[in-house]
Amino acid sequence: MYEILLTSLIIVSFLLIAVVLMQPSKTNAASALSGGAEQLFGKQKARGFEAGLRRVTGVLGFVFMALAVALTYLSSH
């Protein structure tokens, strides 16, 4: 059981890294010079592909944490 969870954790971690790297950057040169206050207080929602990537990132992050807790529990018992 431990080996299956460990393999799952490794796979999820690589998927999480890939999804985070696929997300588009939010910074550009103009906002870096002005402090980026317009992006901080902007009301722009992610749409389409970006929204899907955010959702997948959240789900993979939750699965990663659950697997890590489960592995910790199994290794202590």
Side-chain angles (χ1 to χ4, degrees), residues 22-65:
M22 286 173 47
Q23 291 181 357
S25 160
K26 299 277 186 203
T27 60
N28 56 18
S31 67
L33 295 176
S34 66
E38 57 273 350
Q39 286 184 356
L40 179 63
F41 299 110
K43 297 286 183 182
Q44 296 179 351
K45 282 189 165 184
R47 303 206 186 275
F49 186 67
E50 284 185 47
L53 283 179
R54 283 188 182 181
R55 191 168 294 123
V56 169
T57 304
V59 169
L60 285 174
F62 178 77
V63 171
F64 180 84
M65 293 300 294

